[in-house]
Amino acid sequence: MEQGKEHIDDLIARYSAQAITPEESEELLLWAKESEHNKMYFKQQVMLHRQVASQNVSFDSAKAHSQFDKSIQQTQTKVRRFSRTWLAAASIALAAILGGGVWYASQQPKVGIQLASKSEVSEFVLDDSSVVTLSRNTVIDKPQTFEKKAREVELSGKAFFKVTRDANRPFTVKAGNIYIKVLGTQFEVASNTFDSTVTVTVASGKVSVGYLTDKPSILTENQQIIITQQGKVLSRTVISNSNYLAWKTHIVVFDNTPMEEVALQLSDIYGKHFAIKDAKIFDKHFTSKIDNQSLSDVKFILSNALDIALEERGDSIIIKGRP
Amino acid sequence: MKENNTIKLLAVTNGQDFAELYECYFEPLCRYAYRFFPNKDDAYEIVQDAMLKIYEKRDSLHKIDSLERYLFRMVYNSCINRLEHIKVEKKYTDYAQIELLEIQLESFDDTYYPTEMEKALNEEIDSLPPQAKKVLNMRFVDGLKYSKIAEVLGISVRTVESHLQNSIKKLREKLEKRLPEMGKNSN
């Protein structure tokens, strides 16, 4: 009996060290199955053997953590686009996030990463250290990591790109059929799904815009192009101010600007829908510079300057004439 | 460690930082996985898998009452997955070994967390004779080879070997005696 126990202990030691023959493991298995007590004993002994043996092994938790960080950046996790807890998800994104952006990987493996914003402007740093600022309700798809010879992203919505210069790796933004190609520069792309146009505005540097890869237009600083998804250029102008970036900078200059335009700009900045509910107000013009003022300040300024009333209703600001 | 659970839970549910989780639990979790898969790389992978699952489920983490239990449970699940995988892979070979592993993984046993085991182990190591303790530390903590330990301590490789064998045997026996006690302490 005692000898039998020693033999079993020996088998358990061999099993624990993974130095057991198939015949021996069969013997151990038969013994373990004899009773619950035997099973218990087997489990405990293996645990002890291996707990002690594992002291010999070191597990690099720092390395593991950095690998983990990398893979949460890349692994395909569930798309949580409409999750109510998107705000919590946002803070974990490796990319730097300003507002309430959501980072999530695409559903299909190896498709890539999706950067998205909901009701907040969000800023992300890409793996080539380019910085992209997403306006509200904007989605960008990109590969997990950019390829060696090209950097390509797909845009739906409006975003400002600050592309890190890399002459060997052109950076392309695909807004439907419209491809915007740069080497290193700053520009804004707004794709409009309602009228299927794309507006590209260049803040600095040189940008090429065109239908797929057909003969593109070259834009330089302060130039703006509006192009349809079919490649028809609707307008090409030189802009005189940076109001187009107000959603990002929160700076906008109104110079005798029609109220309709003012309402649009303010909607862009504050993420609330400024709705004009009084036909007379369309005739009004506004002159002022808004520079990072709070919503209530702006409401105060507007209502006093134009003698109008601004009423907050949920996500909307209703603009009406004073009775 | 237990009193900090709330803080850690909060940090996890806010999705802010897994750094602390890694720092406090990665090694114990690996040693736990090592009980079933005694291979450094396997254990490491299993725990990484579990961590990613935890990350995916972070939004529902607030429903957990014990973070520690949850972590080991997730690693346990990850071990089960690995077992299922092996079963498919090696269907007709080593069936007895696989069945033994199945017995090991029959149920989630949260009685002996490696965190507690480690504490107990350290206490027992402290009570070893000085020379044996020195050898053990040089081998396990510093990772020195037998020949190097022999050289440093001016003893033969054979002596190093027998020191280690004796110490390990002693430690196992002492831990075994402590098992019921640890069972009571947990939970």
Side-chain angles (χ1 to χ4, degrees):
Chain A
M1 183 66 205
E2 201 48 39
Q3 207 185 359
K5 185 184 179 294
E6 240 171 61
H7 178 60
I8 292 300
D9 280 346
D10 183 46
L11 289 180
I12 291 176
R14 281 160 190 265
Y15 170 83
S16 303
Q18 289 204 309
I20 194 166
T21 67
E23 293 76 27
E24 284 171 334
S25 36
E26 208 175 318
E27 192 187 341
L28 182 57
L29 178 65
L30 284 175
W31 172 84
K33 279 178 161 175
E34 269 172 26
S35 68
E36 277 307 306
H37 175 268
N38 286 4
K39 270 190 191 174
M40 262 329 264
Y41 183 81
F42 163 75
K43 283 160 86 169
Q44 276 195 359
Q45 287 298 315
V46 174
M47 179 187 80
L48 290 171
H49 271 280
R50 288 188 178 160
Q51 178 73 35
V52 174
S54 75
Q55 299 303 308
N56 207 359
V57 185
S58 65
F59 297 98
D60 191 341
S61 64
K63 184 181 141 212
H65 181 234
S66 78
Q67 274 182 357
F68 168 83
D69 271 350
K70 261 184 217 148
S71 48
I72 59 170
Q73 229 186 137
Q74 294 169 1
T75 327
Q76 50 293 345
T77 48
K78 268 184 217 157
V79 169
R80 34 181 60 248
R81 194 178 308 196
F82 298 111
S83 161
R84 265 176 292 140
T85 48
W86 58 273
L87 200 71
S91 58
I92 208 154
L94 231 105
I97 296 172
L98 281 186
V102 192
W103 167 92
Y104 30 79
S106 167
Q107 215 161 13
Q108 300 99 330
K110 287 188 183 167
V111 163
I113 292 171
Q114 190 165 70
L115 311 172
S117 61
K118 283 191 81 184
S119 56
E120 299 283 338
V121 171
S122 311
E123 188 172 283
F124 296 88
V125 180
L126 307 183
D127 53 11
D128 66 340
S129 75
S130 293
V131 180
V132 50
T133 313
L134 272 58
S135 183
R136 297 173 183 85
N137 302 313
T138 295
V139 175
I140 283 182
D141 284 296
K142 72 177 285 292
Q144 288 175 1
T145 49
F146 286 123
E147 283 161 27
K148 282 199 181 111
K149 290 195 170 165
R151 295 173 284 173
E152 291 185 353
V153 302
E154 279 182 54
L155 168 80
S156 148
K158 181 159 77 181
F160 183 79
F161 295 87
K162 190 176 170 187
V163 174
T164 305
R165 189 164 187 86
D166 185 348
N168 299 318
R169 261 199 318 176
F171 190 102
T172 306
V173 180
K174 296 180 176 176
N177 296 329
I178 304 306
Y179 290 6
I180 301 103
K181 199 170 173 181
V182 305
L183 293 177
T185 172
Q186 302 188 31
F187 60 99
E188 186 208 56
V189 180
S191 70
N192 190 330
T193 42
F194 296 110
D195 60 5
S196 46
T197 61
V198 176
T199 305
V200 179
T201 317
V202 181
S204 73
K206 207 185 262 183
V207 174
S208 125
V209 182
Y211 175 77
L212 304 179
T213 50
D214 285 358
K215 44 181 187 327
S217 311
I218 306 295
L219 301 189
T220 54
E221 202 166 316
N222 291 330
Q223 291 188 343
Q224 185 175 66
I225 194 169
I226 302 175
I227 184 169
T228 68
Q229 284 293 344
Q230 288 69 43
K232 195 178 164 203
V233 176
L234 298 181
S235 86
R236 189 173 166 164
T237 48
V238 174
I239 50 153
S240 55
N241 57 46
S242 299
N243 283 358
Y244 72 98
L245 273 182
W247 60 272
K248 180 178 183 283
T249 59
H250 286 205
I251 298 170
V252 60
V253 179
F254 298 123
D255 182 11
N256 203 24
T257 310
M259 264 314 282
E260 200 178 351
E261 178 70 21
V262 172
L264 280 174
Q265 287 282 6
L266 294 178
S267 303
D268 234 8
I269 295 178
Y270 295 103
K272 299 217 175 232
H273 178 57
F274 284 71
I276 298 173
K277 282 288 152 73
D278 203 327
K280 278 180 285 177
I281 292 175
F282 283 102
D283 298 334
K284 290 186 187 280
H285 291 71
F286 183 55
T287 300
S288 178
K289 183 183 180 187
I290 306 292
D291 185 350
N292 287 292
Q293 265 117 334
S294 71
L295 178 58
S296 57
D297 282 354
V298 169
K299 275 163 65 185
F300 182 78
I301 295 168
L302 268 176
S303 58
N304 282 311
L306 303 175
D307 197 40
I308 54 176
L310 292 99
E311 238 176 66
E312 208 162 336
R313 256 189 238 157
D315 279 341
S316 296
I317 308 270
I318 311 294
I319 306 175
K320 289 192 291 198
R322 285 226 173 101
Chain B
M1 214 171 287
K2 272 195 174 132
E3 51 275 21
N4 288 333
N5 272 354
T6 344
I7 299 162
K8 283 187 197 126
L9 260 178
L10 269 177
V12 175
T13 42
N14 287 338
Q16 274 166 359
D17 206 353
F18 272 68
E20 206 185 343
L21 219 54
Y22 268 91
E23 204 183 303
C24 295
Y25 288 106
F26 186 74
E27 280 204 59
L29 290 171
C30 282
R31 293 192 203 293
Y32 177 75
Y34 194 90
R35 288 180 184 176
F36 310 108
F37 300 91
N39 171 298
K40 185 181 171 168
D41 294 341
D42 284 349
Y44 185 96
E45 256 178 52
I46 287 166
V47 176
Q48 286 290 62
D49 280 357
M51 284 299 210
L52 286 172
K53 289 257 164 59
I54 292 164
Y55 171 79
E56 282 168 25
K57 291 185 176 183
R58 65 196 175 282
D59 292 337
S60 51
L61 275 188
H62 58 275
K63 287 166 200 147
I64 307 157
D65 41 20
S66 158
L67 177 65
E68 196 168 68
R69 193 186 146 88
Y70 176 77
L71 293 174
F72 285 109
R73 177 93 218 186
M74 290 300 281
V75 173
Y76 171 79
N77 291 346
S78 195
C79 287
I80 296 281
N81 286 343
R82 172 75 53 130
L83 168 68
E84 294 304 323
H85 200 76
I86 287 174
K87 270 160 99 177
V88 175
E89 239 175 28
K90 301 186 178 178
K91 216 167 186 172
Y92 302 110
T93 58
D94 293 339
Y95 89 96
Q97 271 206 62
I98 291 171
E99 269 194 57
L100 284 167
L101 179 56
E102 260 184 313
I103 291 174
Q104 273 191 276
L105 284 166
E106 237 170 25
S107 58
F108 175 59
D109 181 0
D110 63 348
T111 331
Y112 322 114
Y113 288 131
T115 36
E116 295 166 46
M117 289 286 286
E118 221 141 296
K119 212 176 120 219
L121 200 59
N122 285 333
E123 282 170 23
E124 293 302 345
I125 289 172
D126 271 344
S127 70
L128 288 174
Q131 182 80 343
K133 194 168 128 187
K134 219 181 262 176
V135 172
L136 201 74
N137 280 333
M138 286 172 99
R139 178 76 195 110
F140 287 172
V141 180
D142 307 327
L144 298 180
K145 284 184 181 155
Y146 284 18
S147 53
K148 185 74 192 167
I149 299 169
E151 193 192 313
V152 171
L153 295 178
I155 53 177
S156 73
V157 173
R158 275 282 291 142
T159 316
V160 172
E161 220 179 305
S162 69
H163 263 309
L164 282 171
Q165 273 172 9
N166 289 338
S167 304
I168 289 170
K169 190 161 176 261
K170 233 184 248 174
L171 287 174
R172 245 196 351 262
E173 283 164 7
K174 288 194 171 172
L175 284 182
E176 193 182 349
K177 278 187 195 128
R178 290 174 71 134
L179 280 183
E181 185 194 325
M182 284 195 292
K184 254 177 260 162
N185 284 350
S186 73
N187 278 351

